[in-house]
Amino acid sequence: MIRLSRLILPALLLASPTLGATDVSMMGGAIRFPVPDAWVPIMQSEGEKETQVFQVPGASAADATLARVSITAQKVPNLNGFQQFAGNLRSHATALTDYAPGKANSPTENVYTAKEGAVKLDYFERYFYSDGYAIQLRCIRPAGGDAAFRAAFDKGCAEVAAHMPS
């Protein structure tokens, strides 16, 4: 029995998707999700529309200062309110400098590149509607650069998306 528990406990720890994650709560606890421990909270707003922003440490100075993830949530009355929320944020994206659409994999995604100053950035947005809340997950990182950092960044964003309420 002891030998079996020695095998099971490490397996459970390795299989845990939230291992090394910080739990985040928004909208009075109605929305909860984990983010990687390495992500540094740099902004939080509360109110009718709430936003949490995390800086994602990177391999280079550009990665470290420009890579970030934001989660924005707002209470909406119905699915039409969700569509308006997503439409407004998508409209804002098209106004960014050198906006160029990318290939989204679903209607709830928005993928594009744009410039911030002189730096070209990759944007990945995903929209969720859950229990009367409209949610945007927005992942921004420098285009190109370190492949290992891009892979780790994208993995972290995908894990957050997988834990969003839907």
Side-chain angles (χ1 to χ4, degrees):
M1 183 67 171
I2 292 174
R3 184 174 180 194
L4 181 60
S5 66
R6 284 185 190 160
L7 294 173
I8 292 175
L9 183 59
L12 289 174
L13 290 173
L14 290 173
S16 174
T18 58
L19 185 63
T22 300
D23 288 326
V24 176
S25 175
M26 296 177 71
M27 305 306 288
I31 300 169
R32 295 177 178 276
F33 53 90
V35 299
D37 277 340
W39 291 9
V40 179
I42 58 173
M43 192 200 88
Q44 175 181 353
S45 68
E46 293 183 3
E48 187 176 311
K49 187 182 213 179
E50 292 188 10
T51 301
Q52 296 260 350
V53 182
F54 299 89
Q55 186 173 20
V56 181
S60 71
D63 292 343
T65 56
L66 296 172
R68 61 197 179 276
V69 175
S70 66
I71 300 93
T72 301
Q74 181 176 334
K75 183 81 171 156
V76 293
N78 51 35
L79 192 54
N80 287 337
F82 166 72
Q83 291 169 337
Q84 183 177 8
F85 170 87
N88 288 342
L89 291 172
R90 288 174 188 253
S91 249
H92 174 73
T94 62
L96 295 173
T97 304
D98 291 344
Y99 168 86
K103 183 176 176 358
N105 292 318
S106 80
T108 60
E109 291 181 359
N110 190 24
V111 178
Y112 57 97
T113 60
K115 277 194 173 176
E116 188 172 291
V119 180
K120 185 176 180 182
L121 299 171
D122 291 329
Y123 292 77
F124 172 80
E125 298 172 351
R126 179 112 186 250
Y127 296 88
F128 305 88
Y129 179 66
S130 177
D131 293 327
Y133 290 97
I135 306 163
Q136 178 203 50
L137 168 64
R138 186 179 197 212
C139 302
I140 307 165
R141 64 171 167 73
D146 182 79
F149 171 73
R150 286 193 327 265
F153 180 90
D154 293 349
K155 181 181 181 217
C157 285
E159 287 175 4
V160 172
H163 287 89
M164 283 290 156
S166 56

